[in-house]
Structures are given as C-alpha cells and as structure tokens.
C-alpha cells in the first residue's frame, strides 16, 4: 500500500497558522498470478418498510433490492431482512442460486410498509445473518435501503453511527441507499462513512441497475478491507477536522480513550497512544490500484526555522486475498523558513487539486446547511467564494479541474433555486465523492 502525506507547500513561514494536510492511500495492483474475478460476497439486503416509506419510496426500495439481487451469482450468499418497529428475516443467509434468488424476488415483491423505523434493528439482524454466511472468506457487506428517518430503537444519529462503526470494525462494511427525495441524507451518508462502505442517492428506479453494477463492479478487484487511517500530530500541531469524513480522537474531552470504545486498539501493528494527538478516520474498501484521499485541516505553531514534523500517518487494513493484517506508514515533514518567496516557490502541483476538491466538498456541505436553515444568500456566498478561490489557484490546477469545480458551485446554486429537494441530496452525494 502506498501512503503519502503532504501540505500544499513544502515550506511554511514561522508563525501560528492553518494548513491542509493531504493524505493519499494507493492500493497495490494484484499479483500477476492472482485469480481473475471478484471475491465472493456475503450480502445482507436490509430494507426499510416503515410507514414513512409509503408510496414511491417503498417501491423504489424493493426495486433497489431486486436490482442488486440480479447481479449476485452462485459464488455469493445473501439474506433479505426488513424492518419497521422491529426487524424480520425474510430469507436467511443462503447461496445465491437461481432457485434461491427466485424465492427472494417473490418475497421482496410482497413487502409492504407499516410501523415505525428501527434502523438499528435492521442493522443488528443484517449483521447476524452475514455472520452465518456459508461463504468462506471474501467480502461481507450490509446494503441498507432506507429513508434514514429512525424513530425507534437507536434513533440518535451518533448512536446509530457508533453501531455502524462497531459492525465495520468486525469486518462487516455498510453501504447505504437513500431512496426518493425525503430521506435523511445526513444519517444515510454518515452510516456509510463510518461503516466503510459507499453512499448512494436514488431519486427513481432508472439509475438502479447502473448503480449496483458499479457497487458490485467495485468489488471485482477489492484488495483491502477494514481500512483505517490513524494520524498523529507532531509537536505544535493539532488536527482539527477531516474534510468530508467522520473523525474520532484518541482522547475525548474527559480524557478517556475514544478508540478503545470503538474497539480499535491499533492500526495493525501501529499501537495508538492516548496522548490526545491521534485521530482515526474510517476508509472504505480499496480496489487494486485505487487511490483514496483524506484531507485534514491542521493548526500549526511553527515557532522556529528548520524541519517540522506535521504528522505521522499509519494505515492498517486486511488483505482480502488471505485475510492477513497489513500496515503502512509515512511522515509529513515541512521546512519552516522566513522567506515568503521560498514558500510560494514550494507549491506541490500534485497536492493542490486534492486539497481544492476537499475544500469544494466542504463548501457544498456548508451551503446545503445554510440553505436548509433558510439562508439562500449565505449558501450562494459560500459557493461563490469557493469558485473564486479555485480560479485564484488556476495555475496549479489545470483548465479541466477549474471548470469541473466551478461547475459544482454553479450546479448547486441553480439546484437550490430551482429544485431544492433534489439539490440537497445531490450536493450531499457530490460532496461525498469530491472528498475522496
């Protein structure tokens, strides 16, 4: 696994300042003699059938389940779980034979909506079914299809996220599908992020087949699962946030070790300290040759000239081919100088686009929140400022990147003005994609 960590410039001035630290994780290509095809999949399809799913939402949810079912084959195993006020195993974990898939299709067609929304019930039952899979090895995933409007069981967003993180820490990743225009995008996205899966928005059934082809296609060369990134700040440095990612600190406000509550003791060979300087970011499964990006906002107190360690970065994962635990690490270092011209001359053109995309993701989230609070003017200002910042760095970004990021701002502003319900969902998905 290739890991790098860099600021936008290789030099910084001696002062207190904010910087952006870009971490890239690149999965290795498969060995020449590696078997072709994707690894087998143990999948629990978890469908929300609560009363809030009445109408097109439940029909879209069933269509989503049927679409993914069609793309499983005999190497895979699956279960179908529904939930409302409680959960029900419609079909227990079994091989994805033609006969079993036909029975599942018939059962899915009969699902109707009723009752409350206990997402935690569905996740618990889905994880139980995945644990019963007859498939040895491979990937284990829950596909949650829901409007995200939990009102029974664990309905606090933080508690649901903790549940999803716990399942992911035990090797069961969670992808989420928000259906229709009324789903809670904040909950559904967060569950996918901490669950180390993927997040999707489906307005109608037209895009379902392509979406699930992509979801299963992404599994075809998956080489790393249960990926976790641990960043430990250097002296005089504090890690403030990870743009577009959930981030947990090693120590909470009361001094307790947060990562131990999450069941995280180490980044596979790199023990985590409880000094307060370490943060943990969950990362989705990686395909062969795929690069994932995480950008941190950091505050730096650079008091003296010379070399300064910004952060040590440790990445741990399970190798899918044999389940082995693997680890890699790197250190981000900059030179502290007193010459502004030297700083300007040290811009890293490969890092700048990574940071600008992450900042655009953050601007989208801020604009969506402002719009949701009735502040359309503030939302527009946030996106306009971002577009101007992109243009200011055009020399380092290239015309295509500048145009694509300006289009993100334009499309969001137009969407908020003309199709706000869809625009909120689309902005959430676009921010999710840009941050990665």
């Amino acid at each position: 696994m290739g890991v790098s960590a860099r600021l936008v410039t290789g030099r910084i001035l001696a002062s207190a300042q904010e910087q952006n630290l870009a971490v890239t994780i690149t999965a290795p290509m498969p060995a020449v003699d590696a078997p072709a095809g994707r690894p087998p999949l143990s999948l629990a399809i978890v469908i929300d059938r609560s009363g809030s799913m009445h109408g097109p939402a439940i029909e879209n949810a069933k269509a989503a389940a049927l679409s993914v079912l069609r793309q499983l084959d005999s190497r895979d195993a699956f279960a179908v779980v529904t939930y409302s006020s409680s959960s029900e195993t419609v079909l227990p974990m079994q091989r994805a034979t033609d006969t079993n898939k036909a029975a599942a299709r018939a059962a899915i067609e009969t699902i109707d909506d009723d009752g409350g929304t206990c997402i935690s019930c569905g996740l618990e039952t889905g994880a139980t079914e995945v644990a019963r899979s007859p498939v040895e090895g491979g990937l284990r995933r829950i596909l949650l299809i829901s409007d995200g409007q939990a009102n029974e069981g664990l309905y606090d967003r933080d508690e649901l996220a903790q549940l999803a993180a716990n399942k992911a820490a035990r090797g069961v990743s969670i992808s989420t599908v928000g259906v229709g225009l009324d789903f809670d995008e904040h909950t559904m996205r967060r569950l996918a992020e901490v669950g180390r899966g993927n997040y999707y928005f489906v307005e109608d059934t037209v895009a379902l087949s392509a979406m699930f082809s992509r979801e299963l296609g992404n599994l075809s060369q998956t080489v790393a699962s249960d990926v976790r990134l641990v960043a430990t700040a250097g002296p005089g440095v504090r890690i403030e946030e990870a743009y577009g990612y959930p981030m947990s600190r090693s120590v909470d406000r009361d001094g307790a070790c947060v990562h131990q509550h999450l069941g995280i003791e180490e980044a596979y060979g790199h023990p985590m300290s409880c000094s307060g300087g370490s943060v943990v970011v969950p990362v989705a499964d990686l395909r062969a040759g795929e690069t994932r990006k995480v950008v941190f906002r950091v505050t730096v107190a650079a008091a003296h000239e010379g070399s300064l360690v910004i952060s040590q970065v440790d990445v741990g994962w399970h190798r899918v081919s044999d389940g082995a635990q693997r680890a890699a690490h790197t250190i981000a270092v900059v030179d502290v100088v007193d010459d502004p011209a030297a700083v300007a001359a040290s811009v890293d053109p490969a890092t700048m686009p990574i940071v600008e995309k992450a900042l655009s993701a953050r601007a989208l989230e801020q604009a969506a929140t402002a719009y949701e609070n009735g502040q359309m003017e503030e939302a527009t200002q946030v996106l306009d400022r971002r577009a101007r910042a992109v243009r200011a760095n055009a020399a380092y970004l290239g015309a295509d990147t500048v145009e694509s990021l300006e289009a993100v701002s334009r499309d969001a502003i137009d969407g908020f003005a003309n199709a706000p319900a869809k625009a909120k969902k689309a902005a959430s998905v676009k921010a999710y994609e840009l941050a990665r």
Side-chain angles (χ1 to χ4, degrees):
M1 190 79 74
V3 182
S4 69
R6 298 185 180 91
L7 300 185
V8 171
T9 58
R11 305 184 188 101
I12 62 173
L13 294 174
S15 65
Q17 59 200 279
E18 278 197 356
Q19 291 284 345
N20 294 302
L21 173 66
V23 176
T24 61
I25 306 167
T26 302
M29 296 300 294
V32 175
D33 58 352
R38 66 172 172 83
L41 173 65
S42 299
L43 177 70
I45 304 171
V46 179
I47 305 170
D48 182 349
R49 68 169 198 88
S50 61
S52 61
M53 294 282 287
H54 181 70
I58 189 66
E59 296 306 318
N60 285 339
K62 291 193 288 187
L66 292 170
S67 181
V68 72
L69 190 64
R70 283 192 293 271
Q71 299 184 53
L72 300 178
D73 59 40
S74 57
R75 86 192 97 171
D76 305 314
F78 74 96
V80 178
V81 173
T82 62
Y83 67 90
S84 54
S85 296
S86 60
S87 61
E88 176 186 0
T89 300
V90 177
L91 285 169
M93 187 61 64
Q94 56 195 289
R95 288 279 182 180
T97 63
D98 290 342
T99 300
N100 289 340
K101 290 198 293 182
R105 285 193 294 271
I108 289 169
E109 292 287 4
T110 66
I111 296 171
D112 57 5
D113 56 276
D114 182 45
T117 308
C118 183
I119 293 177
S120 58
C121 300
L123 291 177
E124 290 283 12
T125 303
T128 297
E129 288 299 324
V130 169
R132 294 172 176 163
S133 175
V135 174
E136 292 290 336
L139 299 170
R140 296 172 178 257
R141 180 159 294 182
I142 292 172
L143 183 67
L144 176 68
I145 306 170
S146 175
D147 62 9
Q149 299 177 25
N151 56 24
E152 297 194 28
L154 297 179
Y155 54 82
D156 176 81
R157 193 176 290 154
D158 290 338
E159 291 180 341
L160 277 173
Q162 182 66 69
L163 174 63
N166 289 343
K167 300 306 177 189
R170 289 163 176 77
V172 181
S173 58
I174 301 170
S175 286
T176 64
V177 181
V179 291
L181 294 176
D182 295 323
F183 75 91
D184 182 343
E185 67 270 20
H186 302 295
T187 296
M188 295 298 279
R189 175 176 167 178
R190 189 167 176 193
L191 291 177
E193 288 173 335
V194 301
R196 301 192 181 108
N198 299 308
Y199 164 58
Y200 301 102
F201 155 48
V202 178
E203 182 181 359
D204 52 42
T205 60
V206 174
L208 285 176
S209 180
M211 185 188 78
F212 287 120
S213 290
R214 188 165 70 251
E215 171 78 358
L216 292 186
N218 286 346
L219 301 177
S220 63
Q221 291 189 347
T222 300
V223 295
S225 64
D226 191 21
V227 185
R228 64 189 60 161
L229 184 160
V230 180
T232 303
V237 178
R238 177 176 169 82
I239 301 172
E240 302 293 347
E241 65 176 313
Y243 299 130
Y245 284 87
M247 185 183 83
S248 300
R249 295 192 181 279
S250 60
V251 173
D252 64 18
R253 294 180 184 276
D254 298 321
C257 291
V258 173
H259 63 273
Q260 291 177 354
H261 297 310
L262 295 176
I264 301 172
E265 300 297 338
E266 60 177 346
Y268 302 138
H270 297 277
M272 294 178 59
S273 71
C274 273
S275 63
S278 294
V279 300
V280 184
V281 174
V283 178
D285 297 347
L286 285 164
R287 291 170 292 158
E290 182 179 16
T291 295
R292 194 70 44 79
K293 302 171 286 291
V294 181
V295 178
F296 295 99
R297 178 171 65 89
V298 300
T299 52
V300 183
H304 308 288
E305 294 180 39
S307 182
L308 176 66
V309 173
I310 299 295
S311 177
Q312 174 175 311
V313 176
D314 298 302
V315 177
W317 72 96
H318 279 111
R319 191 166 57 194
V320 170
S321 60
D322 58 7
Q325 294 181 353
R326 307 290 291 171
H329 73 278
T330 191
I331 297 176
V333 180
V334 295
D335 291 327
V336 181
V337 299
D338 65 355
D339 182 1
V343 173
S346 69
V347 171
D348 182 354
T351 302
M352 180 70 81
I354 296 172
V355 170
E356 288 299 316
K357 288 177 182 179
L359 292 174
S360 293
R362 185 168 183 257
L364 271 180
E365 293 171 343
Q366 291 173 330
T369 299
Y371 180 82
E372 198 169 8
N373 293 331
Q375 300 170 324
M376 181 62 182
E377 184 177 353
E378 172 63 21
T380 301
Q381 290 174 352
V382 168
L383 294 170
D384 282 343
R385 286 195 298 269
R386 180 89 288 271
R388 288 196 298 272
V390 167
R391 289 192 291 272
N393 288 317
Y396 305 105
L397 297 175
D400 290 345
T401 299
V402 171
E403 172 54 32
S404 66
L405 293 180
E406 287 185 323
V408 166
S409 295
R410 287 197 306 270
D411 292 347
I413 292 171
D414 291 344
F416 291 141
N418 301 311
K422 180 177 179 179
K424 284 174 53 187
K425 314 305 180 190
S428 177
V429 172
K430 189 63 180 178
Y432 175 85
E433 293 172 349
L434 279 174
R436 285 151 182 75

